[in-house]
Amino acid sequence: MSQKVSVPPSLQLMKSLPGDFRMMGAQASSDPFGKSGEGDLGSSEIFSSSIPGNGVVGAEAVERVEDSGGNMNEVNEDSPYGVNMVSVEDRPSVSNEDLDSVALPSPSVSASSSEHRWGDTTSYAVKKKLQFWFLLPNGNWELGKILSTSGAESVIALPNDKVLKVKTETLVPANPDILDGVDDLMQLSYLNEPSVLYNLQYRYNQDMIYTKAGPVLVAVNPFKKVPLYGDEYIEAYKRKTIESPHVYAITDTAIREMIRDEVNQSIIISGESGAGKTETAKIAMQYLAYLGGGSGIEYEILKTNPILEAFGNAKTLRNDNSSRFGKLIEIHFSETGKISGAKIQTFLLEKSRVVQCTEGERSYHIFYQLCAGASPALRKTLNLKSASEYKYLSQSDCYSIAGVNDAEQFCVVMEALDVVHIGKEDQHSVFAMLAAVLWLGNVSFIVIDNEDHVEPVEDEGLFNVANLIGCDVEELKKALSTRKMKVGNDNIVQKLKHSQAIDTRDALAKSIYACLFEWLVEQINKSLAVGKRRTGRAISILDIYGFESFDRNSFEQFCINYANERLQQHFNRHLFKLEQEEYIQDGIDWAKVEFEDNQDCLTLFEKKPLGLLSLLDEESTFPNGTDLTFANKLKQHLNSNSSFKGERDKAFTVSHYAGEVTYDTTGFLEKNRDLLHLDSIQLLSSCSCHLPQIFASNMLAQSEKPVVGPLYKSGGADSQKLSVATKFKGQLFQLMQRLESTTPHFIRCVKPNNLQSPRLYEQGLVLQQLRCCGVLEVVRISRSGFPTRMSHQKFARRYGFLLLENVASQDPLSVSVAILHQFNILPEMYQVGYTKLFFRTGQIGVLEDTRNRTLHGILRVQSCFRGHRARCYLKECKKGIATLQSFVRGDKARREYEVLLQRHRAAIVIQKKIKNTIARKNLKKITDASIVIQSVIRGWLVRRCSGDIGLLKLCDKKANESDEVLVKASFLAELQRRVLKAEAALREKEEENDILHQRLQQYESRWSEYELKMKSMEEVWQKQMRSLQSSLSIAKKSLAIDDSERNSDASVNASDDRDYSWDTASNHKGQESNGLRPMSAGLSVISRLTEEFEQRSQVFGDDAKFLVEVKSGQVEASLDPDKELRRLKQMFEGWKKDYSARLRETKLILHKLGSEEGAIDRVKKKWWGRRNSTRIN
């Protein structure tokens, strides 16, 4: 099927234009309207008849044309895009000085009012000899200047030095050069079609593709990349540093109004196929993601675009990336303005494109991307071939798009699937379903009998389909070639003919793809909504197909154009109806402006029971209904409707808002039924793969919905009871209800040419689109109306403080009127309604400027006063802080002094203890040294005495007995004297020992006190102290007694040793000296142990006392008393263990020495007995 764009008869004159004037390539004229003063009489497009009677301009209006040539074809008034004139008879009169009230063309009024078309501005142009637009007989607008005026005729000069004599009423004023390229069409002094087209083209040639038309943004597709996007531009529009029209500006307004008013917003993007709706929607989403990003969900939302475009977009004759479905993206925000989730709703996927493709077009992108970009492993698993080997794709020889790499796009799609959390297993299943659809197209049939019954050929295609969807080959053959029907209580199997089998195969392929698309959207919604908090605030972006009109228009165009009619009414309702109804309801002086309403067309579609949709559903339920019977029924019931016109055969024509479209009813009923037989559903449910099972369950669930009207067939079952048109109508009504609850923002996308070429601007095509979407009507009504309005209460509250004098009556209306009078706002610049004040464009700006200046002055005064108060408060705070600091510092100094005093006292105590310890150590050293010296001297004296005695014995052997007795007596006396001295010394030692005992008892009492403070060490330390005390006392006493006995024995033995030989005396001397040395060493060890015990007791006692004082708070110290007390206890336990071991060793040594002394005593006693016996003898 060839779907070429039909050119209206009124635009056929384009073909005769010069090539260099159509702005193709580098030779495109930058001023096709001839405003630069040079150029042909041509224009890149002619305009449709905005001025009635164009066909007679050459005969009646142009009396003399110099060097004019070329064919001048009359404009066909029966063009589907032909537009009648707007009635301006009911419009209020406007003075010559008011340049803002030129009427615009509107397709609703007869040609009888053509003489009033530009009557309100032409006289002014004639008087001032301004520039104007003149429509030549060939349909081209030309810019010229009036040379002279005579009655109803004027002589004009065109830029190419041509002079014409024309009727003055055919001239259309042009804007001054200073208004060239304004960013808002409402700023044009003369708002007419050639001025609007010239302004759009002027901006388009400078890559300024966005223009405001009142509340609507007009976006002209540049068909190239323009430097208007990116983070820098987003930041600029966010900070309001750029005020020029842009999608960013519309989106920023939406998000700000959502946060400010707490009302959901919607951005409605419309336009023809190829006008750039999808790209515009992505740009709006990028801005929302940038402003509301941070949680990561915005990245997932942006990544849904590649998936939806791959599975829902295709190349058409008009657009390389045409959306073949409608979508509504609802982005939810949190209370802080951050994106918290999203939901996507789709409408009317064009399933027929899966199995049918027109020459020059492609099927859905994903098929070509899969064939080009699949990995070798995936290609082997799915048995993939090139796109040209699949019959569904080979119907058109178009397999690629210029500048697009399908393999790279497939990688992008796989990455996007990962981002939206579709697992690898599910991705493989998705690709398997796509491959199964492609292989289904390759399934062929063979005739098996004379009745043209067929069965599938068991070839590669059939086996691959069965393998990919996971079903049995025989079951697949039966599902494609037979149909089970129930007749009464019996089930019969009917064999299918070739055409029926092909329809069954295609229906299965379309259903698999449509269910796969719905499943993907469902998975995406789960990914975007899981765990996201919603506040009810949302911005909806609607990207839906534009108005379509081809040479052959089928069921898809029928539904698409119906949706556009409904959206156009929503547009009219918000920008036309509600605007004027509000004026009337508020009772202001307003003459209603006529505009074209499409309610008649919507009634034609939706009326029950004789509307297009109702009749279509009714005919679809009849078993014998055909496309021809449907067309005849339409002609029978709807010929009286002004928006309907019956055509020959199966065709009919509908007068849409955008123009007339002729539809061919071939395939209407089949597409509306969209049947998938129960056999095919059961086949999918029996598959081993999970996706076909899900598809089957969804279709069975749909079949359980309530049915309106009789069933299509009494035998068999269909997959859905609701028709496609009915479901689509329901979705559309839900969409309208959702949009009605939001604040709408409209973006109208315009396609500048049908060749998709940059810098090519076809004025006729642009004008047609502007008329179709009602942009010119919007600007006209906004210009002639009161775009700014405010309630009395809000106006009085906002500007009441600007009054110089108090108003007697304080009601909002009186205050509002007083404000208007004070600022000398002209009565024609505003209207006072029942509840609101209505202002013309720019009037509220004066009040806002005055308010801002006044508020600025008030803020300056407030800032100065607040600064003064802040400085005074700061001084008081500083003074109070200084006083407080003095008290705090004094208290801190006193506390520090007290701590230092305590530390000083503690230092003195510590010094005293240390000095005492040092003194005791020095005394001990001196005492030990004295004892050593004494022991040495005493030993020397004993040794000397013993030597003298032996010498005397050797020398005086011959002396007499008397002398010997005298000598012995003297020595005995000396020994007695020494014994007495030794006894005295022993008593002194005992006294010293008693003193030491007393000191030890004092130390023990002090230690007991410390032990009471350290309860954990009490019992152990007391036992050890008592044990050590008793051991030391016993050791000292025994040593003292042994020492005294030894000294006395030594004296006696020395005097009685004269009867023995020198050898015997020498032997006894050696034994005595050997006995004294160990005993003196034992005394030294005992003394050292005693001294160590005293020192350790003193140190442990002082440390324990200090720690107790620290813990009780008497002394400040930077340590942990509990930790230090445990450490001191461990040190004491270690020392005690070591001391006990040494004490035991000392006891063993003393015991050993005691045993040796006992043996010596026995020897001495034996010797003494012998000596006494000798003396007695």
Side-chain angles (χ1 to χ4, degrees):
M1 181 181 67
S2 177
Q3 291 184 345
K4 296 184 180 179
V5 180
S6 61
V7 181
S10 60
L11 303 181
Q12 293 294 336
L13 297 180
M14 294 167 47
K15 301 177 181 178
S16 62
L17 295 179
D20 59 343
F21 194 72
R22 298 183 58 157
M23 300 179 59
M24 298 180 64
Q27 298 178 354
S29 171
S30 61
D31 194 2
F33 287 91
K35 199 166 183 179
S36 62
E38 298 178 359
D40 248 350
L41 281 176
S43 129
S44 61
E45 286 293 341
I46 29 177
F47 302 94
S48 305
S49 60
S50 58
I51 298 179
N54 285 341
V56 296
V57 169
E60 298 179 8
V62 182
E63 294 187 356
R64 185 173 63 89
V65 180
E66 295 182 6
D67 299 332
S68 62
N71 297 326
M72 297 183 180
N73 300 331
E74 292 186 357
V75 177
N76 189 347
E77 298 294 342
D78 296 331
S79 167
Y81 300 99
V83 181
N84 295 326
M85 289 304 304
V86 164
S87 171
V88 292
E89 295 175 355
D90 296 334
R91 296 189 55 205
S93 59
V94 183
S95 62
N96 291 339
E97 289 76 17
D98 185 6
L99 303 182
D100 298 340
S101 57
V102 181
L104 287 180
S106 178
S108 63
V109 180
S110 64
S112 60
S113 58
S114 60
E115 62 271 13
H116 303 291
R117 182 69 178 90
W118 309 109
D120 56 346
T121 55
T122 304
S123 59
Y124 180 80
V126 171
K127 291 178 183 178
K128 300 299 182 181
K129 295 186 178 181
L130 300 176
Q131 291 179 324
F132 61 91
W133 297 105
F134 173 67
L135 185 63
L136 294 176
N138 60 0
N140 296 326
W141 290 100
E142 188 67 47
L143 187 67
K145 182 174 291 188
I146 295 178
L147 299 180
S148 63
T149 301
S150 175
E153 296 180 347
S154 299
V155 177
I156 60 173
L158 299 179
N160 55 0
D161 297 332
K162 293 182 180 180
V163 178
L164 301 177
K165 187 176 182 180
V166 299
K167 290 185 178 182
T168 305
E169 64 181 8
T170 62
L171 301 179
V172 179
N175 292 289
D177 294 342
I178 194 172
L179 295 179
D180 288 350
V182 293
D183 57 8
D184 194 341
L185 298 180
M186 291 184 64
Q187 299 176 11
L188 295 176
S189 297
Y190 300 105
L191 190 62
N192 45 56
E193 290 181 355
S195 297
V196 169
L197 291 172
Y198 174 77
N199 190 76
L200 291 177
Q201 182 175 1
Y202 185 92
R203 295 177 60 81
Y204 176 77
N205 291 335
Q206 298 182 15
D207 290 338
M208 295 184 292
I209 62 175
Y210 297 111
T211 305
K212 290 280 287 183
V216 180
L217 177 69
V218 178
V220 183
N221 193 345
F223 292 115
K224 65 176 183 178
K225 292 184 179 180
V226 291
L228 297 177
Y229 312 102
D231 293 347
E232 295 180 0
Y233 280 89
I234 292 177
E235 280 293 332
Y237 279 95
K238 177 183 176 182
R239 297 192 302 267
K240 299 294 185 182
T241 57
I242 297 180
E243 298 293 341
S244 59
H246 201 287
V247 178
Y248 291 161
I250 294 292
T251 312
D252 185 78
T253 302
I255 194 171
R256 290 179 186 274
E257 290 184 4
M258 179 194 69
I259 296 174
R260 183 192 65 197
D261 303 332
E262 296 186 355
V263 177
N264 292 344
Q265 308 289 310
S266 60
I267 300 175
I268 301 175
I269 305 171
S270 60
E272 287 192 5
S273 178
K277 299 185 298 298
T278 301
E279 292 299 322
T280 302
K282 289 194 290 187
I283 293 169
M285 292 171 61
Q286 288 172 1
Y287 189 85
L288 291 177
Y290 187 91
L291 262 65
S295 61
I297 189 68
E298 70 279 359
Y299 183 67
E300 295 183 30
I301 295 175
L302 293 178
K303 280 299 181 180
T304 61
N305 289 321
I307 301 174
L308 295 178
E309 287 185 14
F311 285 86
N313 289 24
K315 181 186 184 305
T316 64
L317 295 175
R318 294 187 175 186
N319 186 6
D320 288 344
N321 189 32
S322 177
S323 296
R324 307 317 300 164
F325 71 105
K327 66 175 178 290
L328 177 70
I329 302 177
E330 195 175 68
I331 301 176
H332 295 265
F333 291 82
S334 65
E335 296 177 353
T336 59
K338 299 297 182 182
I339 295 176
S340 60
K343 182 180 180 181
I344 299 174
Q345 182 180 359
T346 59
F347 309 95
L348 194 64
L349 177 70
E350 187 184 9
K351 294 190 289 185
S352 61
R353 186 169 290 271
V354 176
V355 299
Q356 184 179 4
C357 195
T358 306
E359 184 65 31
E361 296 187 352
R362 293 204 321 175
S363 185
Y364 290 104
H365 295 324
I366 189 62
F367 291 123
Y368 306 90
Q369 295 171 0
L370 178 64
C371 293
S375 63
L378 181 61
R379 184 179 297 275
K380 181 179 180 181
T381 304
L382 305 180
N383 294 323
L384 281 178
K385 296 184 178 181
S386 62
S388 60
E389 297 184 56
Y390 293 106
K391 293 181 180 179
Y392 281 161
L393 304 183
S394 61
Q395 298 177 54
S396 170
D397 292 333
C398 182
Y399 301 107
S400 61
I401 301 175
V404 177
N405 188 324
D406 288 325
E408 293 180 358
Q409 292 300 315
F410 184 72
C411 296
V412 174
V413 171
M414 293 190 66
E415 179 186 355
L417 291 173
D418 291 332
V419 172
V420 297
H421 310 295
I422 295 179
K424 293 297 184 182
E425 182 179 352
D426 286 339
Q427 291 183 30
H428 185 272
S429 299
V430 168
F431 299 144
M433 293 301 103
L434 294 174
V437 170
L438 293 178
W439 281 114
L440 266 174
N442 287 10
V443 173
S444 58
F445 299 91
I446 184 173
V447 179
I448 60 176
D449 56 23
N450 296 329
E451 297 181 2
D452 198 27
H453 293 153
V454 296
E455 69 175 12
V457 178
E458 294 185 359
D459 57 3
E460 183 182 17
L462 186 69
F463 289 110
N464 283 333
V465 172
N467 180 46
L468 290 171
I469 67 176
C471 72
D472 184 69
V473 176
E474 292 300 325
E475 294 294 331
L476 179 60
K477 289 177 60 178
K478 291 180 182 179
L480 294 179
S481 61
T482 62
R483 179 173 301 171
K484 294 179 182 178
M485 299 182 65
K486 187 174 183 180
V487 179
N489 295 328
D490 298 329
N491 292 326
I492 63 174
V493 177
Q494 179 185 2
K495 294 182 180 181
L496 300 181
K497 296 183 179 181
H498 189 267
S499 59
Q500 294 174 332
I502 290 178
D503 291 340
T504 302
R505 179 198 65 185
D506 293 345
L508 179 61
K510 291 189 294 183
S511 297
I512 291 176
Y513 190 82
C515 292
L516 177 63
F517 185 76
E518 293 176 359
W519 180 86
L520 279 173
V521 174
E522 181 182 354
Q523 299 304 309
I524 291 173
N525 286 335
K526 288 181 180 179
S527 172
L528 299 181
V530 171
K532 308 298 188 301
R533 295 189 305 109
R534 296 181 179 178
T535 63
R537 301 177 185 175
I539 294 180
S540 301
I541 300 177
L542 178 63
D543 173 17
I544 201 165
Y545 11 63
F547 182 81
E548 292 186 354
S549 177
F550 302 103
D551 288 341
R552 182 180 181 277
N553 300 287
S554 186
F555 180 75
E556 289 79 12
Q557 284 70 44
F558 178 80
C559 294
I560 288 172
N561 292 339
Y562 165 57
N564 277 272
E565 287 292 339
R566 177 55 65 182
L567 289 173
Q568 184 63 43
Q569 190 196 47
H570 179 72
F571 180 78
N572 293 344
R573 174 177 173 80
H574 280 272
L575 298 180
F576 297 158
K577 288 184 178 180
L578 297 182
E579 182 90 7
Q580 300 196 69
E581 287 176 2
E582 186 175 6
Y583 294 159
I584 296 172
Q585 291 174 2
D586 229 62
I588 68 172
D589 185 12
W590 165 257
K592 188 173 182 180
V593 178
E594 296 295 335
F595 64 91
E596 183 176 358
D597 190 6
N598 66 337
Q599 185 59 49
D600 292 342
C601 185
L602 284 175
T603 303
L604 174 65
F605 274 89
E606 299 172 354
K607 184 179 178 181
K608 293 182 180 180
L610 298 178
L612 289 174
L613 297 178
S614 299
L615 293 175
L616 176 60
D617 286 343
E618 179 183 340
E619 193 67 19
S620 298
T621 59
F622 293 149
N624 298 325
T626 63
D627 298 327
L628 181 59
T629 59
F630 170 61
N632 293 332
K633 181 176 289 189
L634 292 182
K635 297 171 188 178
Q636 177 184 354
H637 294 285
L638 301 177
N639 264 338
S640 59
N641 193 301
S642 60
S643 298
F644 179 85
K645 183 170 62 174
E647 303 291 346
R648 290 185 301 176
D649 298 330
K650 301 179 182 180
F652 66 93
T653 300
V654 176
S655 296
H656 290 281
Y657 183 87
E660 293 184 353
V661 179
T662 301
Y663 298 99
D664 185 358
T665 60
T666 302
F668 261 56
L669 298 184
E670 192 67 25
K671 292 178 180 178
N672 186 48
R673 293 164 181 161
D674 192 27
L675 298 177
L676 183 64
H677 202 269
L678 186 59
D679 295 343
S680 299
I681 300 177
Q682 292 175 349
L683 173 69
L684 294 177
S685 63
S686 65
C687 294
S688 59
C689 296
H690 69 285
L691 280 184
Q693 296 175 2
I694 294 174
F695 301 161
S697 62
N698 291 339
M699 287 187 283
L700 289 174
Q702 289 179 0
S703 66
E704 295 174 358
K705 294 181 179 179
V707 181
V708 179
L711 292 178
Y712 163 51
K713 290 186 179 180
S714 58
D718 49 29
S719 63
Q720 59 180 29
K721 303 304 180 183
L722 293 177
S723 67
V724 173
T726 302
K727 287 203 309 182
F728 182 63
K729 179 182 176 182
Q731 288 182 330
L732 199 57
F733 272 53
Q734 292 178 1
L735 173 64
M736 291 299 105
Q737 291 175 0
R738 184 177 301 177
L739 295 180
E740 285 291 340
S741 65
T742 65
T743 300
H745 304 268
F746 295 97
I747 301 177
R748 295 301 199 190
C749 297
V750 175
K751 181 169 62 173
N753 61 80
N754 286 320
L755 301 178
Q756 304 181 30
S757 300
R759 303 191 66 82
L760 178 60
Y761 188 88
E762 300 176 2
Q763 286 86 1
L765 180 62
V766 174
L767 179 61
Q768 170 196 333
Q769 295 174 76
L770 294 179
R771 287 173 175 170
C772 289
C773 62
V775 170
L776 300 178
E777 294 291 320
V778 171
V779 178
R780 180 167 63 89
I781 292 179
S782 299
R783 285 276 298 270
S784 60
F786 300 89
T788 305
R789 65 210 63 184
M790 194 176 298
S791 65
H792 299 160
Q793 292 80 5
K794 185 176 180 180
F795 186 84
R797 184 170 58 252
R798 187 170 182 82
Y799 305 108
F801 70 94
L802 299 177
L803 287 175
L804 300 178
E805 298 179 358
N806 293 331
V807 183
S809 177
Q810 294 297 324
D811 65 283
L813 179 59
S814 302
V815 174
S816 301
V817 173
I819 295 171
L820 295 174
H821 290 167
Q822 176 176 312
F823 286 91
N824 297 323
I825 298 179
L826 299 178
E828 59 269 19
M829 294 292 103
Y830 70 90
Q831 289 280 353
V832 180
Y834 298 141
T835 61
K836 297 180 181 178
L837 293 174
F838 296 83
F839 296 91
R840 292 196 184 275
T841 303
Q843 297 306 310
I844 204 70
V846 178
L847 294 176
E848 280 294 318
D849 291 341
T850 306
R851 179 178 181 273
N852 292 336
R853 289 196 301 269
T854 305
L855 289 178
H856 183 69
I858 292 173
L859 291 176
R860 290 293 301 273
V861 174
Q862 288 180 346
S863 64
C864 293
F865 177 71
R866 289 171 180 167
H868 173 71
R869 288 186 59 185
R871 287 189 290 273
C872 293
Y873 178 72
L874 180 62
K875 290 181 181 179
E876 293 179 359
C877 288
K878 285 184 177 180
K879 185 177 179 181
I881 290 172
T883 304
L884 183 61
Q885 286 178 342
S886 64
F887 283 110
V888 173
R889 289 170 180 167
D891 182 72
K892 184 179 179 180
R894 286 188 290 273
R895 289 179 181 273
E896 291 178 353
Y897 175 74
E898 184 178 356
V899 171
L900 290 176
L901 185 62
Q902 291 178 356
R903 290 182 178 179
H904 177 70
R905 291 173 181 171
I908 292 176
V909 172
I910 291 172
Q911 288 176 354
K912 182 177 68 174
K913 297 295 182 182
I914 291 175
K915 289 177 181 178
N916 290 339
T917 302
I918 293 174
R920 284 194 297 272
K921 287 183 179 181
N922 293 335
L923 178 62
K924 181 64 176 174
K925 289 180 181 179
I926 294 172
T927 303
D928 292 342
S930 302
I931 291 173
V932 171
I933 293 172
Q934 289 176 357
S935 64
V936 171
I937 293 175
R938 288 172 183 169
W940 178 75
L941 289 174
V942 170
R943 287 191 295 276
R944 191 185 66 175
C945 291
S946 299
D948 292 340
I949 292 173
L951 182 61
L952 288 175
K953 288 172 65 178
L954 293 174
C955 295
D956 297 336
K957 287 181 181 180
K958 298 179 181 181
N960 55 21
E961 189 70 22
S962 59
D963 292 334
E964 184 177 358
V965 172
L966 290 174
V967 172
K968 289 181 180 180
S970 63
F971 278 107
L972 183 61
E974 181 64 18
L975 289 173
Q976 289 177 352
R977 185 181 61 78
R978 291 182 179 180
V979 168
L980 293 175
K981 186 176 180 180
E983 290 177 352
L986 181 60
R987 285 193 297 272
E988 290 178 359
K989 292 294 183 180
E990 289 178 350
E991 292 176 357
E992 291 178 0
N993 194 16
D994 294 335
I995 293 172
L996 290 176
H997 280 297
Q998 293 176 1
R999 290 182 179 178
L1000 183 60
Q1001 291 176 357
Q1002 293 177 359
Y1003 294 151
E1004 288 177 350
S1005 63
R1006 291 177 61 187
W1007 190 256
S1008 299
E1009 293 176 358
Y1010 298 151
E1011 285 180 334
L1012 290 175
K1013 297 178 182 179
M1014 299 183 295
K1015 293 180 180 181
S1016 62
M1017 302 167 62
E1018 181 177 7
E1019 294 180 359
V1020 179
W1021 288 9
Q1022 285 182 357
K1023 291 178 182 180
Q1024 295 298 330
M1025 292 298 103
R1026 291 171 186 172
S1027 175
L1028 293 174
Q1029 179 182 0
S1030 61
S1031 299
L1032 288 175
S1033 299
I1034 295 171
K1036 287 184 179 181
K1037 288 179 181 180
S1038 62
L1039 290 175
I1041 295 172
D1042 293 341
D1043 190 17
S1044 62
E1045 290 178 357
R1046 192 178 298 109
N1047 290 337
S1048 61
D1049 292 340
S1051 300
V1052 174
N1053 294 336
S1055 60
D1056 296 337
D1057 203 23
R1058 293 172 300 177
D1059 296 335
Y1060 290 89
S1061 64
W1062 175 254
D1063 296 334
T1064 304
S1066 299
N1067 188 20
H1068 291 168
K1069 180 180 177 181
Q1071 292 176 356
E1072 182 179 4
S1073 63
N1074 291 332
L1076 288 174
R1077 288 177 181 174
M1079 293 307 298
S1080 62
L1083 286 174
S1084 177
V1085 171
I1086 293 298
S1087 300
R1088 285 197 298 274
L1089 290 174
T1090 304
E1091 182 181 0
E1092 182 180 356
F1093 176 80
E1094 292 175 353
Q1095 293 177 0
R1096 288 288 185 175
S1097 299
Q1098 181 69 25
V1099 172
F1100 285 130
D1102 294 341
D1103 291 344
K1105 182 180 179 181
F1106 176 73
L1107 293 175
V1108 171
E1109 291 176 351
V1110 171
K1111 188 171 183 180
S1112 62
Q1114 298 178 5
V1115 179
E1116 294 185 1
S1118 58
L1119 51 83
D1120 186 4
D1122 295 332
K1123 183 177 180 181
E1124 293 296 328
L1125 191 60
R1126 287 194 297 270
R1127 189 175 63 83
L1128 181 62
K1129 183 178 179 180
Q1130 293 174 358
M1131 291 173 59
F1132 176 77
E1133 293 293 339
W1135 171 79
K1136 183 184 69 175
K1137 185 176 182 180
D1138 179 70
Y1139 190 85
S1140 300
R1142 286 187 288 155
L1143 188 60
R1144 285 194 297 269
E1145 292 176 0
T1146 303
K1147 287 182 180 180
L1148 292 175
I1149 294 173
L1150 292 177
H1151 184 269
K1152 184 177 181 180
L1153 291 176
S1155 301
E1156 293 177 356
E1157 288 174 357
I1160 294 173
D1161 288 341
R1162 286 193 297 272
V1163 173
K1164 286 182 179 181
K1165 288 179 182 180
K1166 187 176 181 179
W1167 172 78
W1168 184 259
R1170 289 196 303 270
R1171 178 61 180 162
N1172 287 338
S1173 62
T1174 304
R1175 289 180 62 185
I1176 293 171
N1177 293 333

